[in-house]
Amino acid sequence: MKTMIITISLLLLFTTPAQACIGARAHGMGNAYVSVADDPTAAYWCPAALVDVGDGFSVSVGHSSNIPFRYNSLALSANNLGVYYINHKGNKDIMGISYGIKLDQNISCGLGIAFQKPARQDMQYVPLLSTKYSSDSSNPISIAILIQGYNFRPSISWHINDKLLLGFEEYDLLDKYNKNEHRLGAEFKQHNISFRSGYITNDRFISYSVGLGIKTNNSSIDLSCRRMMGKFSGFDQNYYTVDWTVAF
């Protein structure tokens, strides 16, 4: 036990946050996604949520035009295990592996590790720890927390009914990386179509997003558009994200 505590402490000491936030569904909901994730990207967002993805093989392929973090992504999951690869064009590559464990009917936990290679820098690593609780009610509430190094990301989501989902998340709650932000998201489902919106604010910018998802029996296509506006500098940026997810 003492060796484990020392090892985890050293990992936390020399780690940096992974800048990924992958997935068009997540982006459409303002990245308030830690307690919402139920697809292969849960390997990044919340390893504990991999138990909700299903035992079959699932794959998610994504692309984002966000500058400077424009990326292509690939996420795979099967039997509570997830892996992902993110290529931030001209910036860094991120690879990660995660595993989720169901403790009882309502509680799960997960862990993982991400390796990132910034351009012209040495390899960095980020340990991931997460836990998730989901209620049994007809309008379930999910509470989850993701810990990425010193980045504490608590999140709560509420299925108000079978059509409307609301989510909230704090990014970098302790402001250890000077990146604390508040995230809000909503999703409205009508048959096999989902409409999404999101809002993010921090001390540098505010962001608004909208998203659309179309789901069939075993696949889904998600698209989001986001606008970021600087509070003090005149910074103004628009970008899109698209994902295709298939479950076998």
Side-chain angles (χ1 to χ4, degrees):
M1 179 62 71
K2 183 178 180 180
T3 302
M4 182 180 297
I5 293 174
I6 293 174
T7 301
I8 293 175
S9 299
L10 289 174
L11 284 172
L12 292 175
L13 183 62
F14 297 105
T15 189
T16 58
Q19 297 177 350
C21 295
I22 58 175
R25 185 186 179 205
H27 288 186
M29 297 184 66
N31 288 337
Y33 205 62
V34 166
S35 62
V36 176
D38 59 1
D39 56 54
T41 64
Y44 162 79
W45 286 99
C46 183
L50 285 168
V51 302
D52 300 323
V53 179
D55 294 333
F57 178 73
S58 299
V59 57
S60 179
V61 180
H63 170 75
S64 176
S65 67
N66 180 16
I67 299 174
F69 299 117
R70 183 170 61 248
Y71 71 76
N72 296 315
S73 66
L74 173 67
L76 309 170
S77 67
N79 299 316
N80 300 348
L81 178 69
V83 295
Y84 56 94
Y85 171 72
I86 307 161
N87 172 236
H88 285 283
K89 296 184 177 179
N91 190 317
K92 69 175 71 173
D93 291 317
I94 300 176
M95 297 169 287
I97 182 170
S98 301
Y99 186 73
I101 303 171
K102 200 169 188 66
L103 300 181
D104 62 26
Q105 184 175 347
N106 305 100
I107 301 174
S108 60
C109 66
L111 53 85
I113 188 166
F115 299 90
Q116 56 186 24
K117 179 65 174 67
R120 297 179 296 278
Q121 296 184 33
D122 294 333
M123 182 73 75
Q124 302 169 349
Y125 50 83
V126 184
L128 309 177
L129 300 173
S130 68
T131 186
K132 181 179 180 180
Y133 165 82
S134 297
S135 66
D136 286 328
S137 64
S138 57
N139 306 113
I141 294 176
S142 295
I143 302 171
I145 182 169
L146 171 66
I147 304 174
Q148 293 175 311
Y150 289 117
N151 184 0
F152 283 71
R153 300 173 60 174
S155 176
I156 184 170
S157 58
W158 179 26
H159 286 268
I160 294 180
N161 51 46
D162 60 353
K163 295 183 178 180
L164 182 60
L165 170 65
L166 300 179
F168 172 76
E169 180 182 327
E170 281 287 311
Y171 183 88
D172 193 13
L173 176 65
L174 304 180
D175 207 23
K176 289 291 186 177
Y177 301 104
N178 298 315
K179 294 182 178 181
N180 176 240
E181 58 189 39
H182 319 294
R183 301 173 169 183
L184 295 170
E187 179 180 69
F188 179 79
K189 291 184 179 180
Q190 184 66 33
H191 303 298
N192 64 334
I193 300 177
S194 297
F195 304 92
R196 305 173 182 121
S197 63
Y199 173 77
I200 301 175
T201 181
N202 58 33
D203 59 1
R204 302 177 303 280
F205 66 83
I206 58 175
S207 170
Y208 302 94
S209 61
V210 294
L212 176 69
I214 301 175
K215 188 171 184 178
T216 62
N217 291 333
N218 64 344
S219 68
S220 62
I221 296 177
D222 299 286
L223 174 68
S224 69
C225 297
R226 180 178 175 187
R227 183 175 185 183
M228 300 171 63
M229 295 171 288
K231 290 184 176 180
F232 307 106
S233 64
F235 171 80
D236 196 340
Q237 178 185 351
N238 300 295
Y239 71 91
Y240 71 88
T241 304
V242 61
D243 272 334
W244 179 48
T245 302
V246 180
F248 299 93

